[in-house]
């Protein structure tokens, strides 16, 4: 039977009669000893003029010989068609490379299906590299792929847009690493659009891509609808306070994300506080880990985090804090411990100063009493404590409101 008349199963894939350099038939995609070395990229810079003039069929056969894989006869017979279904052919990583070499400049195929082909991350990376130059393929499906690492591949917006489409149509991928590429606005919009409808992706790594406010806004919109993504890595980008606020619009309602990485971004305490407030206000938030370890946070952040941990003990936030902030925040605990040693509460201390029973004590009187009692507080700690007790800066402490601190 002519192999071009009917689709052959993988174990019956054969070369057309008269094909040059026939090879023995190992498992599809399996390497054989061809005697040639094959670099890890598609060698687009090294294709000779003679190779460029070869037909698509001959280019494919030559690529198969160089990679040491068995040609898929069905591909040879249907190379000129718009829809190409190579599902279940056991193409493998090297077979994918051979396909990618031919498809770089192919202008006919618009839909390519590669389900159940054991492409692995290596084979898929060749296809993604091919998509950066191919201008005809609109749909690429591989339902079996679970994890794809395309970091350090110089993927630009065009490749990112293809990946976004892949996210929208792929029903199996769980881990996607796109760190250290050149993805920008167009890629972010496409990836976010794919993320909105994708229901399997669990980890998305986007560090070192120059993402800023526009990209953060797109991802924030995606997080409003996506509930399956568990890890989002945006470290080493250009996420500033405004970008963080845009990302928070998605975090405010998201109930799936558990890990958020934002270290090495131009964030300040303001952005960090916005993120923490959003996560703690969202009662359905699943965030357990947040990495903002390069941000020096303030006292308000540390206090909010301590309160949040009382309600959600699993919440872990990596942050940086200056020693002065830590010392100030410890002032209340130091004062409480000091009073406990005297068998007093905070309210007892104030009542002793409130001779007229007004439930109010001037801040100046409190400052003087603390110093006279030789409480182990330095001047900065004392002023921080006064500010905490007199939040409205009225120079008067209404100590009845402090009963819960006793």
């Amino acid at each position: 039977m002519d192999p071009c008349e009917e689709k052959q199963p993988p174990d019956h894939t054969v070369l057309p009669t008269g094909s040059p350099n026939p090879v023995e038939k190992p498992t599809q995609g399996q390497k054989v000893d061809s005697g040639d070395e094959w670099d890890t990229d598609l060698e687009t810079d090294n294709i000779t003029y003679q190779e460029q003039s070869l037909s698509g069929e001959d280019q494919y056969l030559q690529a198969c010989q160089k990679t040491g894989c068995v040609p898929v006869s069905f591909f040879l017979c249907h190379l000129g068609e718009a829809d190409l279904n190579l599902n279940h052919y056991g193409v493998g990583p090297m077979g994918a490379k051979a396909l990618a070499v031919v498809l770089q400049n192919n202008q006919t195929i618009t839909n390519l299906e590669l389900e159940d082909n054991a492409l692995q991350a290596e084979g898929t990376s060749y296809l993604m590299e091919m998509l950066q130059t191919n201008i005809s393929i609109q749909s690429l499906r591989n339902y079996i792929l679970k994890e794809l690492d395309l970091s350090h591949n110089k993927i630009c917006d065009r490749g990112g847009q293809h990946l976004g489409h892949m996210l929208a149509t792929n029903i199996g991928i769980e881990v996607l690493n796109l760190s250290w590429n050149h993805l920008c606005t167009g890629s972010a919009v496409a990836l976010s659009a794919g993320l909105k409808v994708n229901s399997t992706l669990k980890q998305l790594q986007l560090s070192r891509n120059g993402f800023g406010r526009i990209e953060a806004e797109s991802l924030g919109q995606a997080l409003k609808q996506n509930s399956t993504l568990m890890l989002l890595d945006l470290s080493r980008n250009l996420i500033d306070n405004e970008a963080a606020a845009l990302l928070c619009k998605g975090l405010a309602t998201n109930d799936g994300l558990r890990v958020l990485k934002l270290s090495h971004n131009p964030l300040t305490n303001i952005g960090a506080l916005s993120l923490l407030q959003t996560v703690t206000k969202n009662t359905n938030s699943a965030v357990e880990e947040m990495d903002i370890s390069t941000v020096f946070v303030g006292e308000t952040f540390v206090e909010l985090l301590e309160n949040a941990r009382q309600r959600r003990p699993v919440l872990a936030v990596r942050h940086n804090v200056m020693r002065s902030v830590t010392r100030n925040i410890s002032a209340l605990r130091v004062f409480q411990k000091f009073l406990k040693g005297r068998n007093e509460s905070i309210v007892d201390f104030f009542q002793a100063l409130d001779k007229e029973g007004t439930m109010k004590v001037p801040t100046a009187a409190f400052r003087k009493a603390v110093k006279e009692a030789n409480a182990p507080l330095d001047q900065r700690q004392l002023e921080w404590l006064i500010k905490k007790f007199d939040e409205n800066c009225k120079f008067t402490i209404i100590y009845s409101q402090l009963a819960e601190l006793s």
Side-chain angles (χ1 to χ4, degrees):
M1 178 182 292
D2 187 344
C4 295
E5 293 180 0
E6 183 177 344
K7 183 174 178 178
Q8 305 281 345
D11 58 345
H12 293 296
T13 302
V14 295
L15 288 171
T17 304
S19 296
N21 300 314
V23 293
E24 294 184 6
K25 184 177 61 179
T27 303
Q28 283 295 338
Q30 178 181 335
K31 292 183 181 180
V32 297
D33 185 7
S34 64
D36 295 309
E37 294 294 330
W38 189 256
D39 294 337
T40 54
D41 57 27
L42 299 182
E43 294 188 328
T44 54
D45 296 332
N46 299 323
I47 297 177
T48 64
Y49 176 80
Q50 181 179 2
E51 289 172 325
Q52 290 177 348
S53 63
L54 294 175
S55 66
E57 291 83 353
D58 289 337
Q59 285 185 35
Y60 176 59
L61 292 171
Q62 189 174 89
C64 288
Q65 183 182 19
K66 286 186 176 182
T67 56
C69 68
V70 177
V72 178
S73 61
F74 187 82
F75 175 69
L76 287 167
C77 296
H78 298 271
L79 189 56
E81 299 179 8
D83 293 321
L84 184 58
N85 186 338
L86 295 178
N87 295 339
H88 316 296
Y89 268 95
V91 171
M94 289 297 100
K97 186 169 188 175
L99 291 174
V101 168
V102 180
L103 295 177
Q104 287 180 103
N105 301 310
N106 181 279
Q107 298 180 11
T108 304
I109 298 172
T110 59
N111 178 54
L112 176 60
E113 297 195 27
L114 289 166
E115 180 182 348
D116 187 26
N117 274 292
L119 299 181
Q120 305 178 27
E122 181 184 3
T124 308
S125 68
Y126 296 136
L127 295 174
M128 292 302 105
E129 185 178 349
M130 173 271 294
L131 289 174
Q132 295 184 57
T133 56
N134 182 285
I135 60 174
S136 63
I137 294 179
Q138 300 174 14
S139 175
L140 173 60
R141 294 190 176 95
N142 170 31
Y143 295 117
I144 304 302
L145 183 69
K146 297 292 184 182
E147 183 172 348
L148 176 59
D149 186 348
L150 293 175
S151 59
H152 297 268
N153 267 301
K154 299 181 181 179
I155 300 175
C156 297
D157 259 6
R158 181 174 179 80
Q161 290 170 16
H162 283 294
L163 288 167
H165 180 72
M166 180 270 291
L167 275 183
T169 57
N170 190 290
I171 61 172
I173 190 166
E174 296 180 356
V175 179
L176 179 59
N177 187 351
L178 296 175
S179 301
W180 292 78
N181 280 294
H182 304 310
L183 306 175
C184 291
T185 304
S187 297
V189 172
L191 289 169
S192 298
L195 196 59
K196 288 180 180 179
V197 296
N198 183 282
S199 60
T200 62
L201 190 68
K202 296 179 180 179
Q203 297 184 26
L204 179 57
Q205 300 172 41
L206 294 168
S207 64
R208 289 274 191 179
N209 273 293
F211 279 16
R213 298 176 186 178
I214 297 176
E215 293 79 12
E217 182 176 18
S218 295
L219 289 171
Q221 293 298 319
L223 289 176
K224 288 182 178 180
Q225 299 183 40
N226 183 285
S227 61
T228 55
L229 187 69
M230 299 172 65
L231 181 149
L232 177 59
D233 185 358
L234 290 171
S235 57
R236 299 182 183 275
N237 277 288
L238 301 175
I239 307 295
D240 57 12
N241 295 335
E242 291 188 27
L246 294 169
L247 191 63
C248 283
K249 292 183 178 180
L251 294 174
T253 58
N254 182 275
D255 61 358
L257 194 69
R258 295 184 181 180
V259 180
L260 177 61
K261 297 184 178 183
L262 285 166
S263 65
H264 297 88
N265 276 287
L267 280 171
T268 70
N269 176 63
I270 296 174
L273 189 58
S274 177
L275 288 163
L276 183 59
Q277 288 174 334
T278 301
V279 169
T280 54
K281 286 181 179 179
N282 178 3
T283 56
N284 294 321
S285 174
V287 173
E288 298 176 355
E289 298 181 24
M290 185 161 62
D291 185 356
I292 49 172
S293 53
T294 52
V295 180
F296 280 90
V297 299
E299 297 163 3
T300 303
F301 181 95
V302 176
E303 288 183 309
L304 178 60
L305 180 57
E306 289 182 354
N307 293 332
R309 281 173 175 164
Q310 293 177 8
R311 301 189 304 272
R312 296 170 57 185
V314 297
L315 181 61
V317 181
R318 297 184 60 189
H319 60 283
N320 218 323
V321 58
M322 291 184 290
R323 292 182 61 186
S324 59
V325 173
T326 304
R327 185 178 63 248
N328 289 346
I329 292 174
S330 68
L332 178 59
R333 291 193 295 269
V334 171
F335 189 52
Q336 288 173 320
K337 184 178 180 179
F338 167 73
L339 293 177
K340 185 177 181 180
R342 294 172 24 143
N343 293 319
E344 286 184 285
S345 66
I346 291 178
V347 173
D348 292 336
F349 188 84
F350 279 102
Q351 284 179 337
L353 301 176
D354 183 16
K355 305 299 183 182
E356 299 179 1
T358 62
M359 303 299 290
K360 299 178 182 178
V361 172
T363 56
F366 173 72
R367 184 182 291 108
K368 180 181 179 181
V370 171
K371 290 182 177 180
E372 290 177 349
N374 292 320
L377 299 171
D378 61 30
Q379 189 62 38
R380 288 186 177 180
Q381 287 177 310
L382 177 55
E383 295 305 320
W384 181 88
L385 200 58
I386 290 173
K387 182 180 179 181
K388 183 173 182 63
F389 291 162
D390 180 20
E391 294 181 350
N392 296 321
C393 299
K394 294 183 177 180
F395 302 101
T396 300
I397 300 172
I398 304 176
Y399 64 86
S400 61
Q401 299 174 353
L402 306 179
E404 61 182 24
L405 299 177
S406 298

